[in-house]
Structure formats: C-alpha cells, structure tokens
Amino acid sequence: PSHDSSGVCRVLVQGTKTTETPMIITNAYIEMINNTKYSMIVNTPTLRYNENKANRQYNSRIVKGMLNAAQNGVKLDMISNGPDGGWGEAGHQLRTIAKKMRRQGKPGVAKIFEGLDKIVANFIGRTQRNNLAKLINVPNVDSWMYFNHLHSKQMMFDHIVTSTGSFNLDIHSYKNHESTMICIDKKLADESLKGFISDIVNSVPVL
C-alpha cells in the first residue's frame, strides 16, 4: 500500500579494533544466503576463499553457503575480474608512472614499470579465472569475467535484498575495518538488477 514504507536500509560496520562484532558482515551475509529461495547475483573484485585456515573459517563460509544454496536449486551468477581486469588500481598507477617516465624522456624506466604491470596482471588474472572456474562445477552456477577492472562489491538476493559496501570475498575482509549497506527496497532492487545485467553483458562466461 502507498502508506507503507517504500524500503529500509541498514549499515553494518565491523573492525577488530572498532567494534565488538568483527564478523557482523560475514554473519549477515550467511543469514541472507540461508534464506535465499531462487536467485543470487554477486559482483566481487576478488574471489579468494580457499587460501588458509582463517579464510576457510570465515569469508569462505559465504562462498560455500552460496554453493550449497546453488546445489539446492538457487541460481548463482558470480561476476568478477579475469585477465582483462589486470591488477586494478595498482596496475593503473604503474601505467601512470610509465607514461610520466616517457614524457620525461626515460623510456627504459617506463618499460620496467610496463613490464611489471603486465607480469603481475597476467598472474592475478589467471589465478582469478581458476577460482571462478571452480564454481561452475556446481549446478546452477555461472561465472563471468568482466571486460575491464571491476571494483564494486554488490550482491542481490531473490531480487529483493541488495547490498553494497567495501567487503571483499578474500582473506582479509573478515578482519578488516569494513562497511556494508543492506537494503530491502523494490525500486533499488530493480535499478541494481539493470546494473548486474549490464555487467553480465559486458563479461565473458567462464566455460
């Protein structure tokens, strides 16, 4: 009804030195995943969920929860970076330095920075693709590699709940100072879905 609230958002902030609930975002995501009925769409710059004991215990619980939901019939689309995403902002900084060196008449130094950018970007891109490829062994999961560098951290559950923030699916976010906004809002969900579809259209499927 028109007199009802159009939506509601809550912001979760965590940090081992700033709050008594350092894993509040992880726990919130797991709660939403466990209650998802048919669809999850995820944008994440990195996908690192099986690297060490701490990560298997914390952040990987989110990914494993998603894969368990997919095995039970929930459709999961995971959009992340592949080789074309490179080293992200760090790579951009290296290329900026290289251009500066060329303008200053130092092509040899520029080549060093360009070579470093290419080596690291290819290494990270291949690793990322391997992680995404592992997901598609699970039924109802599609993985996508964005055509450029993807930095957004967004999720959507059942086209109802949306989230965005600084929380990554890697080995650091569970203990870092992070914030995430979670919303139940139809208009926001519709707008977010358009963005997710645009990202998928501009991505390469992992086969």
Side-chain angles (χ1 to χ4, degrees):
S2 59
H3 58 79
D4 282 358
S5 172
S6 59
V8 62
C9 294
R10 293 291 183 265
V11 176
L12 305 181
V13 180
Q14 70 173 37
T16 53
K17 297 181 180 179
T18 59
T19 178
E20 296 179 355
T21 54
M23 291 189 297
I24 188 172
I25 296 176
T26 296
N27 292 332
Y29 275 134
I30 290 172
E31 182 71 17
M32 289 186 289
I33 291 166
N34 290 340
N35 286 281
T36 299
K37 303 301 182 184
Y38 63 90
S39 173
M40 287 182 285
I41 310 176
V42 179
N43 269 356
T44 179
T46 57
L47 183 65
R48 306 282 191 270
Y49 63 96
N50 194 28
E51 293 177 326
N52 58 39
K53 183 178 179 180
N55 196 43
R56 287 195 296 271
Q57 183 177 356
Y58 298 114
N59 283 10
S60 70
R61 289 167 54 200
I62 297 175
V63 180
K64 290 178 180 177
M66 291 176 176
L67 297 180
N68 287 336
Q71 289 177 328
N72 291 322
V74 174
K75 178 68 173 67
L76 170 62
D77 286 285
M78 181 75 70
I79 311 164
S80 190
N81 289 307
D84 292 337
W87 204 13
E89 289 79 5
H92 174 73
Q93 291 297 325
L94 288 176
R95 292 188 293 274
T96 299
I97 294 173
K99 291 177 182 178
K100 181 179 179 180
M101 292 298 100
R102 290 190 180 279
R103 287 195 299 269
Q104 294 178 356
K106 301 177 182 178
V109 178
K111 287 183 179 180
I112 293 174
F113 282 99
E114 291 165 350
L116 178 61
D117 172 46
K118 185 175 181 180
I119 291 171
V120 178
N122 286 336
F123 173 77
I124 292 176
R126 287 195 299 267
T127 301
Q128 182 74 356
R129 189 197 182 286
N130 290 338
N131 290 334
L132 289 169
K134 294 176 184 177
L135 302 184
I136 61 175
N137 294 322
V138 178
N140 301 311
V141 177
D142 284 317
S143 294
W144 307 87
M145 296 181 297
Y146 193 60
F147 83 102
N148 204 330
H149 180 66
L150 182 76
H151 191 65
S152 61
K153 299 95 172 175
Q154 298 175 299
M155 301 187 194
M156 175 181 283
F157 305 91
D158 284 343
H159 298 172
I160 299 173
V161 179
T162 58
S163 70
T164 185
S166 63
F167 190 88
N168 287 295
L169 297 179
D170 59 17
I171 65 172
H172 306 293
S173 283
Y174 82 92
K175 59 182 179 181
N176 285 353
H177 185 85
E178 307 285 359
S179 62
T180 292
M181 181 172 67
I182 299 172
C183 298
I184 301 177
D185 183 277
K186 181 64 167 60
K187 183 177 180 181
L188 177 61
D190 289 344
E191 290 297 321
S192 297
L193 182 58
K194 294 177 184 177
F196 282 122
I197 292 173
S198 176
D199 290 341
I200 289 175
V201 168
N202 288 286
S203 299
V204 177
V206 179
L207 302 174

PDB file of all heavy atoms in Angstrom, residues 188-204:
ATOM      1  N   LEU A 188      15.172   0.125  -5.626  1.00  0.00           N
ATOM      2  CA  LEU A 188      16.622  -0.071  -5.632  1.00  0.00           C
ATOM      3  C   LEU A 188      16.977  -1.429  -6.221  1.00  0.00           C
ATOM      4  O   LEU A 188      17.937  -1.552  -6.986  1.00  0.00           O
ATOM      5  CB  LEU A 188      17.165   0.039  -4.211  1.00  0.00           C
ATOM      6  CG  LEU A 188      18.668  -0.216  -4.057  1.00  0.00           C
ATOM      7  CD1 LEU A 188      19.471   0.795  -4.858  1.00  0.00           C
ATOM      8  CD2 LEU A 188      19.059  -0.158  -2.579  1.00  0.00           C
ATOM      9  N   ALA A 189      16.193  -2.447  -5.890  1.00  0.00           N
ATOM     10  CA  ALA A 189      16.454  -3.782  -6.431  1.00  0.00           C
ATOM     11  C   ALA A 189      16.316  -3.794  -7.951  1.00  0.00           C
ATOM     12  O   ALA A 189      17.132  -4.405  -8.656  1.00  0.00           O
ATOM     13  CB  ALA A 189      15.510  -4.799  -5.805  1.00  0.00           C
ATOM     14  N   ASP A 190      15.294  -3.109  -8.469  1.00  0.00           N
ATOM     15  CA  ASP A 190      15.104  -3.051  -9.924  1.00  0.00           C
ATOM     16  C   ASP A 190      16.271  -2.337 -10.599  1.00  0.00           C
ATOM     17  O   ASP A 190      16.760  -2.769 -11.647  1.00  0.00           O
ATOM     18  CB  ASP A 190      13.790  -2.338 -10.251  1.00  0.00           C
ATOM     19  CG  ASP A 190      12.570  -3.162  -9.887  1.00  0.00           C
ATOM     20  OD1 ASP A 190      12.728  -4.384  -9.667  1.00  0.00           O
ATOM     21  OD2 ASP A 190      11.471  -2.590  -9.805  1.00  0.00           O
ATOM     22  N   GLU A 191      16.714  -1.232 -10.017  1.00  0.00           N
ATOM     23  CA  GLU A 191      17.843  -0.495 -10.587  1.00  0.00           C
ATOM     24  C   GLU A 191      19.135  -1.321 -10.508  1.00  0.00           C
ATOM     25  O   GLU A 191      19.946  -1.323 -11.429  1.00  0.00           O
ATOM     26  CB  GLU A 191      18.024   0.838  -9.857  1.00  0.00           C
ATOM     27  CG  GLU A 191      16.930   1.852 -10.120  1.00  0.00           C
ATOM     28  CD  GLU A 191      16.874   2.268 -11.581  1.00  0.00           C
ATOM     29  OE1 GLU A 191      17.939   2.431 -12.202  1.00  0.00           O
ATOM     30  OE2 GLU A 191      15.752   2.411 -12.107  1.00  0.00           O
ATOM     31  N   SER A 192      19.312  -2.008  -9.398  1.00  0.00           N
ATOM     32  CA  SER A 192      20.508  -2.843  -9.237  1.00  0.00           C
ATOM     33  C   SER A 192      20.518  -3.976 -10.251  1.00  0.00           C
ATOM     34  O   SER A 192      21.577  -4.318 -10.790  1.00  0.00           O
ATOM     35  CB  SER A 192      20.565  -3.412  -7.814  1.00  0.00           C
ATOM     36  OG  SER A 192      20.677  -2.381  -6.859  1.00  0.00           O
ATOM     37  N   LEU A 193      19.359  -4.544 -10.523  1.00  0.00           N
ATOM     38  CA  LEU A 193      19.279  -5.638 -11.488  1.00  0.00           C
ATOM     39  C   LEU A 193      19.724  -5.174 -12.870  1.00  0.00           C
ATOM     40  O   LEU A 193      20.426  -5.912 -13.585  1.00  0.00           O
ATOM     41  CB  LEU A 193      17.854  -6.184 -11.547  1.00  0.00           C
ATOM     42  CG  LEU A 193      17.639  -7.376 -12.489  1.00  0.00           C
ATOM     43  CD1 LEU A 193      18.543  -8.542 -12.122  1.00  0.00           C
ATOM     44  CD2 LEU A 193      16.170  -7.803 -12.476  1.00  0.00           C
ATOM     45  N   LYS A 194      19.358  -3.950 -13.243  1.00  0.00           N
ATOM     46  CA  LYS A 194      19.807  -3.408 -14.530  1.00  0.00           C
ATOM     47  C   LYS A 194      21.334  -3.340 -14.573  1.00  0.00           C
ATOM     48  O   LYS A 194      21.956  -3.648 -15.591  1.00  0.00           O
ATOM     49  CB  LYS A 194      19.222  -2.016 -14.748  1.00  0.00           C
ATOM     50  CG  LYS A 194      17.708  -1.981 -14.919  1.00  0.00           C
ATOM     51  CD  LYS A 194      17.213  -0.546 -15.057  1.00  0.00           C
ATOM     52  CE  LYS A 194      15.703  -0.479 -15.129  1.00  0.00           C
ATOM     53  NZ  LYS A 194      15.220   0.935 -15.191  1.00  0.00           N
ATOM     54  N   GLY A 195      21.932  -2.922 -13.470  1.00  0.00           N
ATOM     55  CA  GLY A 195      23.379  -2.844 -13.415  1.00  0.00           C
ATOM     56  C   GLY A 195      24.036  -4.207 -13.519  1.00  0.00           C
ATOM     57  O   GLY A 195      25.028  -4.382 -14.239  1.00  0.00           O
ATOM     58  N   PHE A 196      23.485  -5.187 -12.823  1.00  0.00           N
ATOM     59  CA  PHE A 196      24.027  -6.543 -12.884  1.00  0.00           C
ATOM     60  C   PHE A 196      23.936  -7.111 -14.307  1.00  0.00           C
ATOM     61  O   PHE A 196      24.874  -7.741 -14.801  1.00  0.00           O
ATOM     62  CB  PHE A 196      23.279  -7.463 -11.921  1.00  0.00           C
ATOM     63  CG  PHE A 196      23.685  -7.302 -10.483  1.00  0.00           C
ATOM     64  CD1 PHE A 196      22.749  -6.960  -9.517  1.00  0.00           C
ATOM     65  CD2 PHE A 196      24.993  -7.515 -10.081  1.00  0.00           C
ATOM     66  CE1 PHE A 196      23.113  -6.817  -8.187  1.00  0.00           C
ATOM     67  CE2 PHE A 196      25.374  -7.376  -8.753  1.00  0.00           C
ATOM     68  CZ  PHE A 196      24.420  -7.029  -7.802  1.00  0.00           C
ATOM     69  N   ILE A 197      22.793  -6.887 -14.947  1.00  0.00           N
ATOM     70  CA  ILE A 197      22.615  -7.387 -16.315  1.00  0.00           C
ATOM     71  C   ILE A 197      23.624  -6.729 -17.251  1.00  0.00           C
ATOM     72  O   ILE A 197      24.220  -7.381 -18.113  1.00  0.00           O
ATOM     73  CB  ILE A 197      21.170  -7.145 -16.796  1.00  0.00           C
ATOM     74  CG1 ILE A 197      20.206  -8.037 -16.007  1.00  0.00           C
ATOM     75  CG2 ILE A 197      21.046  -7.431 -18.290  1.00  0.00           C
ATOM     76  CD1 ILE A 197      18.743  -7.764 -16.286  1.00  0.00           C
ATOM     77  N   SER A 198      23.835  -5.419 -17.076  1.00  0.00           N
ATOM     78  CA  SER A 198      24.819  -4.713 -17.891  1.00  0.00           C
ATOM     79  C   SER A 198      26.212  -5.299 -17.687  1.00  0.00           C
ATOM     80  O   SER A 198      26.977  -5.471 -18.649  1.00  0.00           O
ATOM     81  CB  SER A 198      24.818  -3.221 -17.540  1.00  0.00           C
ATOM     82  OG  SER A 198      25.828  -2.539 -18.253  1.00  0.00           O
ATOM     83  N   ASP A 199      26.546  -5.630 -16.448  1.00  0.00           N
ATOM     84  CA  ASP A 199      27.858  -6.217 -16.168  1.00  0.00           C
ATOM     85  C   ASP A 199      28.005  -7.585 -16.822  1.00  0.00           C
ATOM     86  O   ASP A 199      29.067  -7.923 -17.352  1.00  0.00           O
ATOM     87  CB  ASP A 199      28.067  -6.337 -14.654  1.00  0.00           C
ATOM     88  CG  ASP A 199      28.255  -4.987 -13.988  1.00  0.00           C
ATOM     89  OD1 ASP A 199      28.582  -4.016 -14.698  1.00  0.00           O
ATOM     90  OD2 ASP A 199      28.068  -4.901 -12.759  1.00  0.00           O
ATOM     91  N   ILE A 200      26.948  -8.373 -16.787  1.00  0.00           N
ATOM     92  CA  ILE A 200      26.998  -9.706 -17.407  1.00  0.00           C
ATOM     93  C   ILE A 200      27.143  -9.585 -18.926  1.00  0.00           C
ATOM     94  O   ILE A 200      27.924 -10.320 -19.546  1.00  0.00           O
ATOM     95  CB  ILE A 200      25.745 -10.521 -17.034  1.00  0.00           C
ATOM     96  CG1 ILE A 200      25.798 -10.914 -15.554  1.00  0.00           C
ATOM     97  CG2 ILE A 200      25.616 -11.764 -17.914  1.00  0.00           C
ATOM     98  CD1 ILE A 200      24.558 -11.622 -15.059  1.00  0.00           C
ATOM     99  N   VAL A 201      26.405  -8.640 -19.508  1.00  0.00           N
ATOM    100  CA  VAL A 201      26.504  -8.434 -20.966  1.00  0.00           C
ATOM    101  C   VAL A 201      27.926  -8.058 -21.353  1.00  0.00           C
ATOM    102  O   VAL A 201      28.415  -8.437 -22.432  1.00  0.00           O
ATOM    103  CB  VAL A 201      25.502  -7.347 -21.404  1.00  0.00           C
ATOM    104  CG1 VAL A 201      25.783  -6.910 -22.840  1.00  0.00           C
ATOM    105  CG2 VAL A 201      24.069  -7.855 -21.284  1.00  0.00           C
ATOM    106  N   ASN A 202      28.619  -7.343 -20.482  1.00  0.00           N
ATOM    107  CA  ASN A 202      29.980  -6.899 -20.764  1.00  0.00           C
ATOM    108  C   ASN A 202      31.023  -7.824 -20.158  1.00  0.00           C
ATOM    109  O   ASN A 202      32.147  -7.394 -19.862  1.00  0.00           O
ATOM    110  CB  ASN A 202      30.184  -5.474 -20.248  1.00  0.00           C
ATOM    111  CG  ASN A 202      29.456  -4.439 -21.070  1.00  0.00           C
ATOM    112  OD1 ASN A 202      29.870  -4.122 -22.189  1.00  0.00           O
ATOM    113  ND2 ASN A 202      28.349  -3.933 -20.552  1.00  0.00           N
ATOM    114  N   SER A 203      30.648  -9.067 -19.967  1.00  0.00           N
ATOM    115  CA  SER A 203      31.562 -10.065 -19.405  1.00  0.00           C
ATOM    116  C   SER A 203      31.689 -11.270 -20.327  1.00  0.00           C
ATOM    117  O   SER A 203      30.868 -11.477 -21.220  1.00  0.00           O
ATOM    118  CB  SER A 203      31.062 -10.533 -18.023  1.00  0.00           C
ATOM    119  OG  SER A 203      31.010  -9.469 -17.112  1.00  0.00           O
ATOM    120  N   VAL A 204      32.712 -12.041 -20.063  1.00  0.00           N
ATOM    121  CA  VAL A 204      32.941 -13.294 -20.787  1.00  0.00           C
ATOM    122  C   VAL A 204      32.590 -14.454 -19.852  1.00  0.00           C
ATOM    123  O   VAL A 204      33.083 -14.499 -18.725  1.00  0.00           O
ATOM    124  CB  VAL A 204      34.412 -13.417 -21.241  1.00  0.00           C
ATOM    125  CG1 VAL A 204      34.664 -14.754 -21.919  1.00  0.00           C
ATOM    126  CG2 VAL A 204      34.774 -12.275 -22.177  1.00  0.00           C
TER     127      VAL A 204
END
